Amino acid sequence: MSINNNTIQNSIHELESHLFHDNIFNENESHPLLLLHSQLQEIDIEPQLTTIDEKRQIISLLNYFQINYLYNFLDKYFSNIPLSILKALFDIIRFQMNINMNIDQSVTDYYFDLSLTYLTGNSTIDYLNSKKETNTNIDELFLNLFSSIGSRSVYIKTNLSYSICVSHKNIPTFFQLNSSTEHLLQSFIVYLNNLFFNNCQQYQSHNSILKWLLTMTNIYGFVPYFVKTNYPNTVLQWMMIKRDQAEHICINLWFFIINLLHNLARHRMGGKALNKLKAIDILKQWKDQYISELLLKQNNENDKDILIAYYLVYAILLEPKELKKENISNIQTVLDYILERTVQAFNSSELCFGPYNICEYLNGLAKFVVNDKFLIYIMSRDNIFNLFIEKFLLFNNIYQSTDLNTIICSSLYTIFWSISFQAEYHAKLKSIENFIQYVEQISKLESIDEHAVMMKRAAKGILFNLDLIEMDVQPIEENINVIGNNQIKLMISYAHKDATFCQKLVTSLQERFQGEIWVDFNKLSAPYEDDWEEIAKAITQCNVILMIVTENYCSSKSCRREVIHADKRNKRMIPIYLGKDYKPEDWFEIRVGSAAWVRFGDKRNHDEVMEILFKLINAQDKIKQNNNDNTFIQKLQTNAFIANNNNQTTQIPLSIDSNPVETVTSSDSIPLSSNSNTLNNVTPTNPIEQWTCEEVQQWLRLPPSVLQLSSGQALSVYMNLLLHEDAQYDEYEHRMRHHGVTREQFANLISSYLCIHSNESILTELPDQWTQKEIKFWFQQNHLSNYLLNILNLMNGSQLITYAELLINSPSRIDNEFIRLQNQIENDLFHLDEYARFLSGLKKLVKQSKL
């Protein structure tokens, strides 16, 4: 007899049709059980007659038959069996399977296939879609059992190797999207919708189904299956349920839902689908309804878990430019939780803590540190910097061993790239020899692996920020004759999200501009930002850089790197702002400051702004040609901003909002006298914070090519950054010295600022005898803002000491005072890091007063 799957399947179907009929046990030669027996016996005797795949299909058919047999048996005798006994029976079966998988993890495939056999069966699909009139309790017991077994088998698989979950290359094959599994995923949506929207209380398997969905979407390679079956839209629909209609949805269910959203979001396809559906807006609305009270309670680990889950999703989906607007006070508690979990996960042998692996925590931190406030707060935590260094060195040794280790290493590189933008960490990072060696090795890595490319890009960014990359390019001055004396070489720096405007700008420039225009989409192959050497070379060899400055630009690490590179090479920069209200971030103001700029989207039309831009480009080039032979030390002059005896000037429009012309000198310069070691500053009479751009430049007595600051506030920010010795060393050695500024001049510049800032006040040894003037100087010494000083309005040292003693001796007062001060200081200008400095200073004052 020839055996194939069809004959066995026919025998099973015939046997099922005889189940529980009175004649089921009547013996005859054509009995389906006897036929099935002989068919399987033949396979057992001659196994070579059937293939492995055929045998697997037979096992699947037999499994389903056995399950169906048990189902029909229980269904027939259900009325005679107490429900509590039935539940205990199913739990015993589940426990037995779980124990078996824990003992012998090789059986996980078998149990997963067994569960999938039941879940994809027609009877189950009909029940999930509410098309089956049957005993609900029996269906729920079976559904709960097999969805639980399926999720447990996958959980054990991923625990054996978490790389299964994170690999972008190796997608597991034990679950694939086909017609039967697609029907299953769609049917789960119908079942859960009935629970969430219709509050169907008879549906008791929602927890096990949601766990199944979580374990499956936790595998990166499976996420596209769920995107194709509309899960992004479904999950967001659940999150849009109003609070008064969601009393049946407990906090544990929300935890499942928000984590399902997190699993979808971490895949590019899922993130794209969610952003298309405006997931961030829905997420924020959900937070306002459900999360706010958790921020106040924080009673248990479950509350912490859901807060962490929310903000991990938030960080993945939110654009960097939006993340930079976040207030540290809104997220400070959650950052503490994530850091705490990160430390605990690193200390775990499985690299897990709570519901997440270490790579999930690190990925969240890598997103958060694009915000400088968040980064500073994270680095202020005890031993966090040392922990990151320790793990960075460890995982650089083993990053190629597993996909998980590669991803952990990639996240650490991203975090250190952000850290490297902070000048106070430069000396510390450079002093760690192994750190620099690993970064240099990765910067030369040749690989097309997605994470290796990210690591290489971050490594180059770190080396560049630490001034450890030497670009082998010739300065533009040596190539002027090749271009022609009357032609200018432009380079356009922009964020790729602003590519549409950039292309329009290039088209407008090409209509009238005769010189060379370097822009990446005309010069490089995609992805443009990966070819940093060519971009750096273009910056070095151009005459003028046009920067399209938007939120996208200021939030881009690559664009920030380009600005720094241009600034260090004394390049002439023209910011191009989009929109009438946009103001750049502080780091851009400090680097580019008072450079002449234009703005599109304001009261002037496109052609008018282009006319001003052409004048700016040409005027900048004239200044460059006139000053081409001057050395930097000659440019450092006492009359840098007034006309010389020849009274020659060039007209330059500074912005389209102001008078279109402003007089700027382009004449020969008078160098500093040979015995002059100071910069003879002219000091305005009003407070530093109120100084205009012109007053700042007048006081600095430095040409804009050396230092450009747009206001007194920018000057204060710049000088406060230089209050640390490491920052002073870095600024002088890597910038000022190359512009011809002597050590004495640089020291006197800082000294003059401190002298003005303190009004030459000298603090007495007894704080309770201080005057208002001395209190103000104490605030400045501790880097405390004038906003805080003005709010407190302390008249003398005695009041200051009394205030300090009342505050620091009461923990509740410390908390309440922070909230009070934060509410009184407008525009989000008072943060926890300043409050910590304030308290620390007060404690020292009280101690000093008692002594």
Side-chain angles (χ1 to χ4, degrees), residues 633 635-640 672 675-683 697-703 706-707 719 736 740-753 756:
I633 198 65
K635 293 179 183 178
L636 194 61
Q637 51 185 297
T638 55
N639 64 338
L672 290 170
N675 61 352
S676 174
N677 287 328
T678 64
L679 297 170
N680 188 21
N681 304 41
V682 178
T683 305
Q697 296 300 149
Q698 181 185 16
W699 180 82
L700 285 172
R701 290 291 180 178
L702 292 171
V706 177
L707 183 61
M719 286 298 182
M736 291 297 185
V741 179
T742 67
R743 291 181 188 277
E744 292 85 355
Q745 291 166 348
F746 186 59
N748 283 322
L749 181 68
I750 297 173
S751 176
S752 298
Y753 173 81
I756 298 169

Side-chain angles (χ1 to χ4, degrees), residues 298 300-305 308 331-348 351-358 361-362 365 377-378 381-384 387-388:
Q298 303 163 25
N300 54 50
E301 290 301 312
N302 289 338
D303 292 344
K304 289 183 180 180
D305 285 343
I308 291 171
I331 199 174
Q332 179 179 306
T333 300
V334 179
L335 283 177
D336 287 338
Y337 292 160
I338 294 175
L339 289 171
E340 172 190 315
R341 299 291 181 86
T342 301
V343 173
Q344 291 166 322
F346 267 134
N347 291 334
S348 162
L351 293 176
C352 292
F353 189 84
Y356 300 114
N357 182 274
I358 184 64
Y361 296 121
L362 287 177
L365 291 174
Y377 179 78
I378 289 168
R381 313 311 291 163
D382 290 343
N383 297 319
I384 286 297
L387 174 69
F388 284 164

Side-chain angles (χ1 to χ4, degrees), residues 754-777:
L754 293 176
C755 189
I756 298 169
H757 216 20
S758 65
N759 279 330
E760 299 179 354
S761 172
I762 301 173
L763 299 181
T764 68
E765 293 183 2
L766 300 174
D768 56 358
Q769 297 178 14
W770 286 355
T771 64
Q772 268 192 312
K773 201 173 188 180
E774 289 167 324
I775 292 173
K776 182 177 181 180
F777 184 56

Side-chain angles (χ1 to χ4, degrees), residues 4-21 24 30-37 39-40 57-58 60-66 68-69 72 117 120-123:
N4 58 52
N5 288 356
N6 289 333
T7 59
I8 292 177
Q9 187 172 10
N10 291 336
S11 297
I12 291 174
H13 287 166
E14 190 174 349
L15 183 59
E16 287 175 340
S17 67
H18 283 69
L19 283 175
F20 304 109
H21 286 205
I24 182 66
S30 61
H31 195 291
L33 197 60
L34 296 176
L35 288 175
L36 181 62
H37 172 272
Q39 290 163 354
L40 294 176
Q57 190 175 0
I58 291 169
S60 179
L61 291 169
L62 290 170
N63 283 337
Y64 188 73
F65 167 71
Q66 292 164 5
N68 204 25
Y69 184 89
N72 281 279
T117 297
T120 56
N122 291 334
S123 177

